[in-house]
Amino acid sequence: MPAHHHPARKKFTRFASKQPFQFGLPNVSPDLMQASDNSPAYLTRTSSLLRQQILANAPSVKIISDSVQPDVLARDAWADTDFDRKRVLFLIPDDAIGDCVGMVLFLRAFATKYPGAKIAVLNSGTASDIFATIPDITIFQLFISAKRLKTFDYLIDFSEMEGWKDIATMPVNPEEALCEAFGVPPIPLASERAPKLASGMKIGILPMASSPLRTLPPELVHETTELLAQAGFETTLILNAYQGVMKKYKDTIGSFNTPNIRVVDGFKTIGNLVSFIREQNYVVLADSGPAHITKLFQTPGIGIYSSASATVLQGRHHNLYPWQSSYKGEFCEAPCGLAKLRATTSGEIGCMGSLRLPMSELGNLPVNSDRALAERLVTENPVPCVADLVAQKDRFLAFLRQDIGI
């Protein structure tokens, strides 16, 4: 093994197929679909949907190994390697939108420092459309052939970044961490946040997150939407049909009195979501993937944060005004750092404030999903730091009026 190289942390599946094949995820743009290239073997991440749901049942596919660890450039050599005029393949550890936006911002900076480098990503999964915002990048959303793998000078495993294994409980800033690890200066940003809105401009509201800890309360969403529409803006409320609580959440928000409000249950692809955010003049969002997507275009607006820290998640990006929950209680205060609900040893699910327990007694992530509980938390009985957003509703709406000039 060459110096400064070692096996990747993530394990990959090596497989072969007797028949030509092509794959693409349903929520990824069709033009990013992949096809076989007559290679004798192919690699996909062992934990990928391709391996778990498709390959095992495909009669023409032979699984060769589930424990392949490609040779990657060691973490301590990243900053000392000259990547210019090299072909570099980055192994993506997960396809969470926020994480991948941070990786994209880093890759933009990487391409600026090494303009002659040829960049590719492997196993970008459902976030492939986000990586597609980078010019001249090659995207292997689900697999790579052994033939193509041999063409790269360097493989880099992003899962070697410190702290990323704890991202479900303590969010980190991937852009900042990666730029520091590679010794790459981040790309320059606009120096001022200056929303300039006039009647008829487009405003998007995206209140849903993957966790009840971060989804905005329906009462706040309803009044915010009405306020913006009544001010004459083209207002669109975007929900998320992929989340099981969406219908209950939508019913709780209720109908609107103002005619120029459009409600969209969700987008078919992440690419559609990216395009929507690119087109908006202003946004109001929960702490979620779309809030991170605004960094790609510096879309102005307000990011509303509850359990997680706006300072950590927004990093150096000031396009969103960070509205942070002000909750302070006996067992926790916002931001506590949790990104997901936790479980006690007896199986109770919640957070420190909702269960009135210290963090030391909430040592596990829930094993099973509980749709009824999730629905109650996003509609009837939110966790304390989310409930605080309703308590501070008038103060928030006053700031929103001031920010957009009404």
Side-chain angles (χ1 to χ4, degrees):
M1 183 179 298
H4 303 300
H5 287 69
H6 57 210
R9 285 186 180 179
K10 293 284 185 179
K11 291 184 178 181
F12 287 75
T13 293
R14 186 187 300 276
F15 67 96
S17 176
K18 297 177 181 179
Q19 301 292 331
F21 61 89
Q22 63 178 20
F23 289 119
L25 293 169
N27 58 345
V28 174
S29 298
D31 56 359
L32 295 179
M33 182 175 289
Q34 291 186 258
S36 57
D37 62 1
N38 299 313
S39 179
Y42 301 84
L43 258 66
T44 185
R45 197 170 61 232
T46 303
S47 59
S48 72
L49 292 176
L50 177 63
R51 170 62 182 101
Q52 294 177 334
Q53 299 182 12
I54 298 174
L55 296 183
N57 301 313
S60 64
V61 170
K62 178 182 179 182
I63 303 297
I64 301 171
S65 173
D66 273 336
S67 57
V68 177
Q69 294 171 279
D71 182 21
V72 300
L73 184 65
R75 163 74 175 80
D76 59 8
W78 291 355
D80 300 323
T81 302
D82 183 1
F83 296 102
D84 207 21
R85 310 185 73 82
K86 301 295 184 181
R87 297 180 64 86
V88 187
L89 177 65
F90 294 93
L91 310 183
I92 307 303
D94 70 79
D95 55 6
I97 291 178
D99 298 350
C100 290
V101 167
M103 297 176 210
V104 166
L105 292 166
F106 158 72
L107 290 174
R108 287 182 180 178
F110 182 91
T112 300
K113 182 173 181 178
Y114 302 110
K118 298 295 183 182
I119 299 172
V121 294
L122 172 59
N123 281 124
S124 50
T126 58
S128 296
D129 284 302
I130 296 173
F131 288 95
T133 62
I134 303 173
D136 303 320
I137 189 174
T138 302
I139 296 172
F140 301 99
Q141 64 165 305
L142 293 170
F143 65 89
I144 190 171
S145 71
K147 287 182 179 179
R148 293 298 299 273
L149 190 65
K150 291 179 180 178
T151 65
F152 289 95
D153 299 295
Y154 293 105
L155 273 62
I156 293 173
D157 182 4
F158 274 165
S159 68
E160 294 193 359
M161 284 302 304
E162 300 86 351
W164 283 17
K165 64 183 178 64
D166 300 319
I167 202 163
T169 57
M170 187 60 66
V172 298
N173 187 324
E175 177 195 14
E176 180 181 282
L178 287 168
C179 284
E180 181 178 351
F182 281 82
V184 172
I187 55 174
L189 301 175
S191 58
E192 294 183 4
R193 174 187 177 277
K196 298 178 181 179
L197 301 180
S199 181
M201 285 188 170
K202 297 178 179 180
I203 295 185
I205 303 171
L206 298 95
M208 299 191 73
S210 58
S211 169
L213 291 176
R214 295 176 285 119
T215 295
L216 302 184
E219 181 180 344
L220 179 65
V221 174
H222 186 279
E223 294 198 29
T224 298
T225 306
E226 286 279 13
L227 183 154
L228 294 170
Q230 290 169 5
F233 299 111
E234 184 180 323
T235 307
T236 306
L237 174 62
I238 303 294
L239 303 175
N240 190 336
Y242 287 101
Q243 294 180 11
V245 301
M246 191 277 286
K247 186 178 185 303
K248 177 74 171 179
Y249 185 71
K250 180 180 179 180
D251 290 345
T252 306
I253 291 173
S255 59
F256 296 102
N257 299 319
T258 310
N260 56 318
I261 296 173
R262 183 168 66 112
V263 179
V264 178
D265 286 350
F267 294 114
K268 182 178 179 181
T269 70
I270 300 297
N272 297 144
L273 172 62
V274 171
S275 296
F276 173 81
I277 291 176
R278 188 200 307 257
E279 294 165 358
Q280 300 309 294
N281 301 109
Y282 192 92
V283 288
V284 179
L285 319 95
D287 165 20
S288 60
H292 293 282
I293 292 174
T294 66
K295 298 174 184 176
L296 300 176
F297 315 112
Q298 293 297 292
T299 308
I302 300 177
I304 304 176
Y305 296 84
S306 49
S307 60
S309 168
T311 302
V312 172
L313 292 170
Q314 291 192 185
R316 68 194 185 97
H317 298 266
H318 302 296
N319 56 299
L320 297 181
Y321 179 88
W323 187 272
Q324 184 82 59
S325 171
S326 58
Y327 173 75
K328 292 184 179 181
E330 180 182 354
F331 294 92
C332 61
E333 65 180 68
C336 67
L338 291 189
K340 296 182 178 180
L341 294 169
R342 307 288 289 182
T344 65
T345 54
S346 61
E348 290 182 287
I349 299 174
C351 66
M352 292 82 76
S354 65
L355 298 176
R356 298 185 60 79
L357 292 171
M359 180 61 187
S360 59
E361 296 188 35
L362 295 172
N364 303 304
L365 293 173
V367 176
N368 300 313
S369 61
D370 186 334
R371 179 173 173 175
L373 173 62
E375 287 184 342
R376 288 197 302 273
L377 288 173
V378 299
T379 59
E380 304 168 15
N381 189 28
V383 299
C385 62
V386 175
D388 180 77
L389 298 173
V390 177
Q392 300 294 328
K393 177 187 61 178
D394 291 343
R395 189 167 65 90
F396 170 78
L397 295 175
F399 175 80
L400 176 61
R401 291 187 184 94
Q402 177 185 353
D403 199 41
I404 60 178
I406 60 173

